[in-house]
Amino acid sequence: MNLLIRFKHPAIILILISLCSCFSQSDKNEKQHYVWLANNSKFVLLPPEKIEKSMDMAQFISASWQGSEFYLNAWVQADENGMEISLFNELGANMGSLSYKENALYFSSPVLPKSLQPEYIVADFQLCFYKTDALSEALEKCGLVLEIDKTIRRIQKGNDIIIEIELKQDTVILKNNLRGYSYALGGDFS
């Protein structure tokens, strides 16, 4: 049995090769990063250009999770091209770094828990600092609602408040009621 197929027109071979290469490229570039904000509520991370206001600043982070307290300093650079966060302790030692650009996410930390998923850090950042219309649309797609009351953002599923964020000039406080963690960011957010 002869498995070799002969084509009379070389153009057919070129078309087949082109089609195959297009399919393989699109599969590699289509990775979406997401988190589960609530059961059955898959929040796909927004593109960087949806940020409300660019920032290039130092921040002090105090976090509470499963009865443990964490204190870190960070340098945050975020704009319509992406986000870069460098974490360090009071002595300036490297505690980790995170980079997010559309469809590309990198996180490394020698001290933070290995179970910490960087997508949740990016999602929380977006819930705090991204444009409310883009957030509202994305949250609606996953069955959640964004409520805004002056300086407070609430993400709700039905009547349940999943996440509450308070935005002040010098502090941002996020409480995730469903996952049981909270943190405060100190900086100049005016």
Side-chain angles (χ1 to χ4, degrees):
M1 183 171 165
N2 187 358
L3 295 176
L4 181 62
I5 300 173
R6 295 182 187 198
F7 293 101
K8 292 183 181 179
H9 300 290
I12 293 174
I13 294 172
L14 291 175
I15 291 170
L16 287 173
I17 290 171
S18 296
L19 285 173
C20 290
S21 67
C22 288
F23 288 132
S24 65
Q25 284 180 349
S26 66
D27 289 343
K28 291 176 187 173
N29 295 330
E30 296 274 335
K31 180 167 186 197
Q32 285 187 332
H33 295 280
Y34 63 88
V35 298
W36 295 98
L37 291 180
N39 295 340
N40 302 320
S41 296
K42 180 180 174 181
F43 176 75
V44 177
L45 297 181
L46 296 170
E49 66 263 11
K50 300 297 182 181
I51 192 166
E52 196 160 41
K53 175 172 91 169
S54 296
M55 62 176 67
D56 188 358
M57 62 188 291
Q59 293 181 9
F60 177 73
I61 303 168
S62 62
S64 172
W65 181 60
Q66 295 183 342
S68 297
E69 300 287 326
F70 301 93
Y71 303 95
L72 296 168
N73 293 299
W75 192 269
V76 178
Q77 294 175 298
D79 59 25
E80 65 279 350
N81 297 310
M83 172 175 56
E84 302 282 336
I85 300 176
S86 298
L87 302 169
F88 49 95
N89 66 15
E90 292 88 21
L91 300 175
N94 179 21
M95 302 295 281
S97 63
L98 180 142
S99 173
Y100 174 68
K101 303 202 182 312
E102 192 164 358
N103 294 326
L105 179 60
Y106 169 80
F107 178 68
S108 173
S109 175
V111 294
L112 294 175
K114 300 286 184 219
S115 62
L116 182 63
Q117 296 176 352
E119 290 87 353
Y120 282 91
I121 297 170
V122 175
D124 285 346
F125 182 87
Q126 291 185 350
L127 293 173
C128 293
F129 300 112
Y130 273 43
K131 295 176 183 173
T132 56
D133 59 338
L135 284 172
S136 199
E137 184 179 323
L139 290 166
E140 189 175 301
K141 286 180 183 176
C142 63
L144 301 174
V145 174
L146 175 64
E147 294 268 329
I148 300 172
D149 181 15
K150 296 180 185 174
T151 62
I152 296 177
R153 295 180 178 187
R154 290 184 187 93
I155 290 85
Q156 295 182 211
K157 185 165 189 159
N159 292 328
D160 296 329
I161 298 173
I162 306 295
I163 299 170
E164 186 169 55
I165 302 163
E166 186 175 3
L167 304 168
K168 298 179 181 177
Q169 284 187 325
D170 61 351
T171 309
V172 173
I173 300 168
L174 181 141
K175 293 179 185 173
N176 189 316
N177 299 319
L178 184 66
R179 306 280 182 230
Y181 67 87
S182 65
Y183 54 84
L185 306 174
D188 182 9
F189 301 106
S190 56

